[in-house]
């Protein structure tokens, strides 16, 4: 019952009722990634391309889409990762969780949340002042 209520009233807890209906009616399962996200395609978007979508395994977190699937989702390639002809690029890094807003987020030197001192400015930059 809790899952049904979440699907009716929230969009960030996985698929909504609308997505479930659209997937049932138009969706063709293309594959699944290592994190359990399931990818679908079907129908046409406003530009005439095949519509593609993902149903997340857990909260809707777009940074959980691996590079190969990201390219397929955004029509950068027509070859989905489960295809036999798919080959990951050598420069593609494995997925890393988005740490923004957490205690493990990147905090450069000089940040209010970092104890390090800000690096001094060098070079030919002169800060603007009203009297100059």
């Amino acid at each position: 019952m809790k899952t049904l209520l979440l699907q009716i009233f929230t969009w960030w807890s996985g698929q909504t009722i609308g997505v479930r209906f659209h997937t049932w009616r138009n969706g063709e399962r293309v594959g699944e990634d290592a994190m359990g996200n399931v990818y679908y395609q079907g129908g046409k978007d406003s530009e005439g391309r095949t519509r593609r979508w993902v149903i997340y395994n857990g909260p809707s977190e777009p940074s959980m889409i691996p590079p190969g699937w990201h390219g397929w989702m955004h029509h950068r390639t027509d070859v989905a990762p489960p295809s036999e002809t798919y080959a990951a690029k050598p420069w593609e890094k494995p997925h890393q969780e988005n740490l923004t807003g957490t205690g493990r987020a990147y905090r450069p030197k000089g940040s209010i949340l970092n104890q390090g001192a800000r690096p001094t400015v060098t070079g030919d930059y002169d800060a603007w002042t009203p009297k100059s």
Side-chain angles (χ1 to χ4, degrees):
M1 181 66 174
K2 180 180 178 183
T3 304
L4 179 63
L5 290 174
L6 285 173
Q7 288 181 7
I8 292 172
F9 295 110
T10 66
W11 57 264
W12 57 87
S13 302
Q15 65 179 328
T16 62
I17 294 295
V19 169
R20 180 178 283 207
F21 178 73
H22 182 71
T23 302
W24 169 76
R25 187 163 179 233
N26 299 319
E28 170 194 341
R29 183 183 170 126
V30 176
E32 184 175 333
D33 64 22
M35 290 172 262
N37 301 323
V38 183
Y39 299 86
Y40 293 91
Q41 68 180 2
K44 298 289 182 189
D45 65 10
S46 61
E47 297 177 8
R49 301 177 300 185
T50 303
R51 186 178 301 270
R52 298 173 176 173
W53 67 95
V54 60
I55 296 180
Y56 296 99
N57 180 20
S60 296
E61 176 57 54
S63 70
M64 289 184 60
I65 297 178
W69 281 108
H70 183 271
W72 179 82
M73 289 281 296
H74 294 277
H75 296 275
R76 300 289 182 240
T77 180
D78 289 330
V79 180
S83 173
E84 294 177 8
T85 58
Y86 174 78
K89 306 290 187 216
W91 45 263
E92 287 182 6
K93 294 182 178 181
H95 173 265
Q96 181 179 359
E97 177 184 5
N98 183 355
L99 301 175
T100 304
T102 69
R104 299 182 349 224
Y106 173 69
R107 295 182 174 98
K109 289 181 181 178
S111 167
I112 294 172
L113 300 173
N114 189 344
Q115 300 300 320
R118 180 175 178 189
T120 56
V121 177
T122 60
D124 59 355
Y125 174 78
D126 291 322
W128 178 86
T129 59
K131 299 195 178 184
S132 59

